Each structure stands twice: as C-alpha cells, then as structure tokens.
Amino acid sequence: MHDIKTIRDNPAAFDQGLSLRGLPAQSAALLKIDSEKRDHIQKLQDAQARRNALSKEIGEVMRAGDKAKAEALKAEVAGLKDFIASGEEAERLLTQKINDALAVVPNLPMEGVPKGKDEHDNKELHTWGEKPRFNFEPRQHFDIGEWLGLMDFETAAKLSGARFVILKGQLAKLERALGLFMVDLHTEHHGYTEIYAPYMLRDEAMFGVAQLPKFKEDLFQTTSGHWLIPTAEASLTNLVRERMLEEKELPIRMTAYTPCFRAEAGAAGKDTRGMIRQHQFSKVELVSITTPEQAEAEHSRMLACAEEVLKRLKLAFRTIVLCTGDMGFGSRKTYDIEVWLPGQSAYREISSCSQLGDFQARRMDARFKPADGKGPRYVHTLNGSGLAVGRTMVAILENYQNDDGSVTIPEALRPYMGGAEKITRA
RNA sequence: GGAAGGGUGGCCGAGUGGCUUAAGGCGCACGCCUGGAAAGCGUGUUUGCGUUAAUAGCGUAACGGGGGUUCGAAUCCCCCCCCUUCCGCCA
C-alpha cells in the first residue's frame, strides 16, 4: 500500500511508476479525494476544538454553581453537535474511500529494473550448469511418472478433478525428500529459521500480504471464512504483523515447507497436463524481514540461497530479472529462476524472489525502532521460493531420466531417499 | 457447541462520567554517582492525522471496531470482532 503523502509530494513520479507497469495515471484522482478529506478534517477539527473548550468551561461553571451560565453554554455546544457528528462520519467515509482506492494500486518498480511490457522484455542475468544430452528423445515428466507407475492423474481427477496428482512409493518419498533437503539446506547453511505456521488465514492477514482484496479469485476459501495460503509467504510474512521490532533483531530469516493452494482462475488451458500447474503443491519458502537499507543486499543473498538448491541438485538454470511490466502486484524488483526441462525443451520458472519494500509492511503495520532512537519506520519484506517442490520433482524426472525409463536420484538427495540411487518401475 | 471472564502507550498494569494532560511499574535513552560497573538518584520516553521548511510549535484523534446516551465517555447502553478459561466433542 502506498503512502498518500508520498504521492502528494511527487505525483509525477507516482504516475511515471504506474506507466512503467502499463497502467494509467492515478495521482490526480487519488489526490482529489485526499484534498477533499483534508479540507474536511480542518473544518471538523476547528469545531471539535471549540466544543472541547466549551465543555471544559461548562465543567468549571457548574462546579462554581452558576446554573444559568452553564445552560447558556450547553445551548451553544448543541449547535456544534450535528456538524461534528456528521463530520466524523464523513471523515470515516473519505478515509475508507481513499484506502479502498490505494489498496488496489500495485507497488512501483525500483530504480534500475528493466523497463518493458511483458515477459519478452525480461533480462537474463546469468545461466548455470550444463543441459544434459540424451541419446534418445527425452520424455516429459508425466510420461516418465506414469510409466513408472508412481504418478496418477486419472485417480486424482476422480477424487478432486483437474489439476491434482497422486504420487506413490518412490515419488511420494521424493516429494518429501526434496522438502526436507531444502529446509535443511536453508536452516543449516543459510541461516533461516524453520517455521511451522497456519495454512488457513483470516482476511486481515491476506490483506497484509496484498493477496486481498485484488486476488480473491485466485484463492480458495473455507466455509469458516479462512483463506488457504497460496504460498507460505502469506503465513511467514504475517508473523511480524502489528509488531514493533528492534533494529538489532533484523534481518529476520524464516523458511517453511508447506502445501500451497491456488485456484488458478486465470490459467484455464495453460499447462493442463502434468504437475507444472496444480491446485495443490508443496513449496519451501524463504522470507526475510529487513531494514530498508538491508533489503537490496538481502535480495541478492536470498537469490543465491535459492540457486544453491539447484546447484546441489546439479540442475541447469538461468536467472532473469523481471521487467517493469511483468512483475507481481506487490513487488518492486523480482528475480525468477528458471530450470531447464529437457522434456519440454524449455526453461520453466521454479523460483521467484521479490523485494516488496514497505508495501506489505504498511498493510500489516510492521515496524521497527531504529537504533538511533528516532521514530518508528516500516520494515521491508522479501520472499522467494527455495524452491517449488513439485516443479523441482518435474525437473529431476526430466533431467535425470535414463534410456531404460528409470530415473537416477541426484546424489544430494540420496541420504533422504534411504540411500537409493534410482527410481524404477513399480 | 455450552458457560464465564477479558481486550488500556514497546511490555505489564491501574482506572465506573469532568484536575486522566491515561496513575504506577518494567524496558529504553541521557545525566549524576563510580577507578570502571552494578545498585541508587534525577530527567526524558505512544502513535496517527492536519498545519508547517521542520522528527520545532500548535491543533485534533486514538483505551479492540462501529453505533448510542451526555455539554463532556477508557468509564454508561447496544451490535460486532478477537482472545483466554472451564465444560462437551476430538487428531
């Protein structure tokens, strides 16, 4: 959420930022409500000041026993009452109006983010690893998994419909092994603290991380009114909501291995086969809470932590920085890591690491006391996948497939797979 | 699901209609004291909004949220949200 004062101070910069995202200028409309509100507040406060003064006087006069004078003063205050009552109501409405308008405005891109319209304008930062070569036509993950007899979309459809999967035996174990491997890496080597947190959140928390009100249709809601998390970012980031942190506590680094639930409302027809796009999938998430000064360095660090997972699994990838037009709603700068999928002969997103500035912190009211003793400041929040477990499994199946249909287990995972070296047909 | 008790500055906690300008304590900051520290003593220490060059000053609001009573509400009344405890059910 934006600070209306920042917009007031520099409306041109605000509109410029929106245009980089391909959106029309909005400062004029917002500032119109803002100035209406401020004019209104001025009048209201004058009336309140007068009422307060008169009321105080009434108290004194009554103590002195001058009833007649007290009655005269009461009559005077009565004239202000209606104005104040309706004025308070109007102020509330105007505040709500401007907040509602601000709540659906996306974050603005950081300086230096490549300008562009859509994913074609994203910029590659670097690549890592060798794409594997095959002396046969590499198959896609769903063909491999189904042939192994360990991946079942048909039965999943009977239970739950499209975009669900059932994994069995070695593949079910691989899913769990990947989660453990990633969490262990981030906690033992990257300084993140493992967290277990709710998968169901209430409205306020979803608003805090900017999933609401705009992306309601991408979420699942329970009969209790809770929202199923589309990412552990939602739970982890909210751990600091409504808190006043000490500067020395920052940065806070958290990780969690959780299921994620997404309605995929806008993705009809996209990636309909296989495990790439599911209503339910697992992910190991990284979240950092920092000071504004720490955020940029933390972002690079987080990216490196996510990349390390792929390096240890020896999976080729490339890293790109998203252009202004392709970034998510709350992001000021986003790196995507795309893993090489031989079966598709394409790079596919496996992680997205974003810094959101104070965008979520404002919505959550998450602040810290600076060490220099000055007034509270909003924290900065960052999040990244480290990594999407389902898609990592896809990458392993496709990159480590053998001509006999089996799949070699990456060495780094073998300790988590009971020492097994291969996944073979059931 | 049933019953009861609660929600007050960073934290704990007092406060049933006007000297509450939210007591007191903790924590924190600075000073005194000390060889240095602790203890002790003293001073200071909420946030939002408006105005402003200003984190100065002034004004205003805020005691979970909203509405009501009143000249005046943390305090009285109504509705809602949330938390805790006990009982029931239960992995």
Side-chain angles (χ1 to χ4, degrees):
Chain A
M1 186 120 106
H2 292 280
D3 182 3
I4 188 68
K5 278 188 281 188
T6 311
I7 301 172
R8 200 187 296 153
D9 290 344
N10 199 341
F14 178 74
D15 287 334
Q16 164 71 7
L18 289 179
S19 88
L20 286 172
R21 278 182 172 270
L23 294 169
Q26 292 182 41
S27 67
L30 290 167
L31 289 179
K32 187 167 169 252
I33 311 172
D34 177 51
S35 90
E36 200 181 325
K37 181 185 161 190
R38 284 186 296 147
D39 285 349
H40 183 80
I41 285 176
Q42 197 57 64
K43 285 184 202 140
L44 175 62
Q45 292 192 349
D46 287 347
Q48 286 168 327
R50 187 146 169 71
R51 177 201 60 193
N52 291 347
L54 287 170
S55 287
K56 201 170 179 185
E57 211 182 325
I58 290 171
E60 284 159 10
V61 168
M62 283 182 50
R63 234 167 288 124
D66 189 344
K67 278 206 169 143
K69 190 167 181 199
E71 287 308 316
L73 289 169
K74 280 189 192 182
E76 195 176 345
V77 178
L80 292 166
K81 263 193 84 175
D82 282 350
F83 180 78
I84 290 174
S86 65
E88 285 174 345
E89 168 74 5
E91 181 187 347
R92 209 162 26 248
L93 289 175
L94 284 166
T95 301
Q96 195 186 337
K97 193 170 164 191
I98 198 153
N99 283 344
D100 287 352
L102 284 171
V104 295
V105 177
N107 206 351
L108 303 181
M110 268 179 95
E111 200 71 30
V113 170
K115 293 174 187 174
K117 206 168 110 227
D118 52 34
E119 70 265 22
H120 302 292
D121 299 318
N122 295 339
K123 214 168 107 190
E124 183 176 297
L125 287 182
H126 51 256
T127 61
W128 183 91
E130 296 277 322
K131 296 175 185 172
R133 293 204 188 96
F134 299 93
N135 53 13
F136 57 96
E137 185 66 28
R139 294 185 294 166
Q140 293 211 53
H141 70 278
F142 41 82
D143 288 332
I144 301 166
E146 286 176 336
W147 183 86
L148 287 167
L150 302 175
M151 186 182 288
D152 183 352
F153 295 99
E154 252 178 69
T155 306
K158 286 186 195 165
L159 309 198
S160 309
R163 296 201 191 282
F164 289 92
V165 70
I166 290 163
L167 301 175
K168 285 189 268 190
Q170 291 270 84
L171 280 193
K173 186 166 189 169
L174 180 62
E175 141 87 33
R176 183 159 52 90
L178 280 167
L180 296 189
F181 163 69
M182 292 179 197
V183 168
D184 284 352
L185 174 65
H186 297 312
T187 55
E188 289 163 21
H189 299 281
H190 295 155
Y192 286 84
T193 301
E194 183 171 3
I195 305 282
Y196 173 81
Y199 304 152
M200 296 158 62
L201 302 183
R202 50 164 78 132
D203 292 348
E204 292 86 337
M206 280 301 190
F207 179 86
V209 288
Q211 295 288 341
L212 290 179
K214 220 184 158 194
F215 303 100
K216 212 173 150 180
E217 63 281 0
D218 294 328
L219 301 171
F220 290 110
Q221 189 170 29
T222 68
T223 52
S224 60
H226 289 98
W227 303 91
L228 297 185
I229 55 169
T231 159
E233 167 207 342
S235 308
L236 296 183
T237 307
N238 269 296
L239 293 188
V240 297
R241 71 175 292 114
E242 294 162 55
R243 286 250 284 150
M244 182 72 76
L245 301 158
E246 299 290 336
E247 178 165 358
K248 60 174 182 281
E249 295 178 70
L250 304 174
I252 295 170
R253 301 189 175 108
M254 300 175 279
T255 184
Y257 168 45
T258 74
C260 303
F261 302 94
R262 297 188 182 179
E264 296 294 347
K270 249 192 237 172
D271 301 309
T272 48
R273 283 206 74 183
M275 285 180 62
I276 293 280
R277 195 174 296 275
Q278 301 267 290
H279 287 311
Q280 172 188 320
F281 62 96
S282 297
K283 183 158 59 66
V284 172
E285 183 73 359
L286 304 172
V287 164
S288 294
I289 311 296
T290 71
T291 66
E293 290 72 26
Q294 293 166 338
E296 175 65 17
E298 183 70 13
H299 195 193
S300 304
R301 185 186 187 280
M302 179 180 277
L303 175 66
C305 292
E307 287 178 341
E308 182 63 21
V309 178
L310 291 171
K311 289 179 179 175
R312 295 201 177 203
L313 295 173
K314 297 195 166 60
L315 291 167
F317 65 88
R318 71 174 182 189
T319 299
I320 60 180
V321 55
L322 298 191
C323 75
T324 54
D326 198 30
M327 290 194 308
F329 181 75
S331 182
R332 330 169 55 201
K333 183 177 180 182
T334 297
Y335 299 119
D336 271 10
I337 305 172
E338 299 183 330
V339 69
W340 176 250
L341 296 185
Q344 283 197 14
S345 194
Y347 283 106
R348 292 302 303 259
E349 178 185 336
I350 196 164
S351 172
S352 191
C353 299
S354 301
Q355 48 171 319
L356 307 250
D358 61 10
F359 192 77
Q360 292 176 323
R362 281 178 193 287
R363 291 170 166 252
M364 295 189 302
D365 191 25
R367 297 173 295 174
F368 72 98
K369 269 202 170 97
D372 63 16
K374 289 194 179 147
R377 302 174 71 193
Y378 287 106
V379 298
H380 278 208
T381 60
L382 300 93
N383 63 74
S385 352
L387 309 161
V389 171
R391 289 189 181 182
T392 307
M393 180 182 300
V394 168
I396 288 170
L397 293 177
E398 295 198 8
N399 282 275
Y400 282 87
Q401 60 183 301
N402 302 310
D403 57 1
D404 65 358
S406 68
V407 174
T408 302
I409 297 170
E411 272 178 51
L413 286 178
R414 290 179 193 170
Y416 294 91
M417 292 291 288
E421 294 177 10
K422 268 189 183 183
I423 297 172
T424 51
R425 192 164 183 170

